[in-house]
């Protein structure tokens, strides 16, 4: 499995609604509705995506209480508590490809997926975590960190969250609009409250935990 979830250390990605399926139409009791629905889905399966308003934002997912260490540092004992749970989210205003197909297109758009395949259905032998609509939030790392200097330290965790709007155009000209969200980077960091934060995520950590 080729994962799109990475880890970044240092400077320290909404609660999403999971869409498990999008239907094209409903049956009328005689089987014709089901056949029509399949035909609509098949017709729209060869459409194209256009993405807009693509944003990437580092989101804080966990933070510890501050802990003061004296000269020489030591092992931090405070646990990281969760403050946000990221999850994939896809929504559309009408018949559209599966959420996995939509996330595949978004992953290619932002460079999280490297594939020559036009659609996920055309891929053979490769999978990506980014297309998994049930992708769980990363675990909070409770491993003990041991700074080798004095200071007031806060451990934190985060993810790099990606959101975007899309318009999907079917071969017959019909269009469907929607929105997708996922995360791409698992972030782990440490902030010294006695020093100036060097990133937006570290500044949020300082606001939340540092006196």
């Amino acid at each position: 499995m080729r994962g799109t979830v990475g880890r970044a250390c240092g400077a320290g990605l909404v609660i999403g609604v999971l869409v498990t399926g999008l239907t094209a139409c409903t049956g009328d009791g005689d089987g014709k509705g089901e056949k029509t629905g399949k035909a609509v889905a098949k017709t729209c399966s060869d459409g194209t995506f256009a993405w807009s308003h693509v944003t990437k934002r580092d989101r804080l997912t966990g933070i510890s209480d501050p802990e003061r260490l004296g000269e020489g540092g030591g092992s931090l004992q405070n646990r990281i508590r969760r403050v946000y749970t990221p999850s994939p989210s896809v929504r559309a205003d009408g018949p559209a490809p599966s959420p996995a197909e939509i996330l595949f297109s978004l992953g290619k758009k932002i460079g999280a997926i490297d594939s020559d395949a036009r659609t996920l259905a055309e891929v053979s032998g490769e999978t990506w975590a980014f297309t998994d609509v049930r992708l769980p939030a990363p675990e909070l790392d409770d491993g003990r960190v041991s700074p080798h200097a004095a200071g007031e330290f806060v451990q934190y965790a985060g993810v790099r969250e990606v959101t975007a709007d899309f318009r999907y155009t079917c071969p017959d000209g019909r269009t469907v609009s929607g929105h997708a969200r996922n995360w791409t980077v698992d972030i782990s960091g440490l902030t010294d409250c006695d020093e100036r934060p060097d990133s937006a995520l570290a500044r949020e950590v300082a606001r939340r935990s540092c006196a």
Side-chain angles (χ1 to χ4, degrees):
M1 178 176 184
R2 177 181 295 177
T4 62
V5 177
R7 174 172 293 274
C9 296
L13 159 227
V14 201
I15 299 176
V17 177
L18 180 63
V19 178
T20 57
L22 299 169
T23 57
C25 65
T26 57
D28 57 7
D30 60 1
K32 293 181 180 179
E34 180 181 357
K35 293 178 181 178
T36 302
K38 290 180 179 179
V40 170
K42 187 176 187 301
T43 300
C44 285
S45 65
D46 294 324
T48 57
F49 283 96
W51 291 94
S52 61
H53 304 107
V54 179
T55 62
K56 298 180 182 180
R57 176 188 174 191
D58 288 350
R59 296 291 302 271
L60 189 68
T61 59
I63 191 172
S64 74
D65 290 329
E67 192 168 349
R68 174 68 67 178
L69 297 178
E71 185 177 354
S75 178
L76 298 177
Q77 302 299 316
N78 292 341
R79 298 177 65 88
I80 299 176
R81 67 183 184 278
R82 186 171 291 281
V83 296
Y84 173 70
T85 303
S87 64
S89 173
V90 174
R91 67 175 185 266
D93 63 9
S98 70
E101 280 284 6
I102 295 171
L103 291 175
F104 177 76
S105 177
L106 176 58
K108 291 185 64 177
K109 173 69 176 181
I110 65 173
I113 293 176
D114 181 14
S115 174
D116 294 329
R118 191 175 64 87
T119 67
L120 183 60
E122 296 175 1
V123 174
S124 176
E126 290 184 287
T127 59
W128 293 269
F130 192 84
T131 66
D132 184 1
V133 294
R134 295 180 176 84
L135 182 67
E139 296 292 334
L140 299 179
D141 186 1
D142 281 327
R144 295 291 177 248
V145 176
S146 300
H148 298 292
E152 188 175 23
F153 297 97
V154 177
Q155 293 186 78
Y156 63 90
V159 293
R160 184 154 298 143
E161 194 168 68
V162 181
T163 62
D165 297 325
F166 70 86
R167 179 174 293 275
Y168 183 77
T169 303
C170 300
D172 61 8
R174 287 173 300 151
T175 62
V176 178
S177 297
H179 184 80
R181 179 180 61 235
N182 208 344
W183 54 274
T184 60
V185 178
D186 181 5
I187 299 168
S188 177
L190 182 70
T191 287
D192 184 347
C193 293
D194 295 335
E195 298 182 359
R196 183 177 180 178
D198 60 357
S199 70
L201 199 59
R203 286 192 290 273
E204 182 178 355
V205 171
R207 287 194 301 268
R208 284 174 175 261
S209 286
C210 296

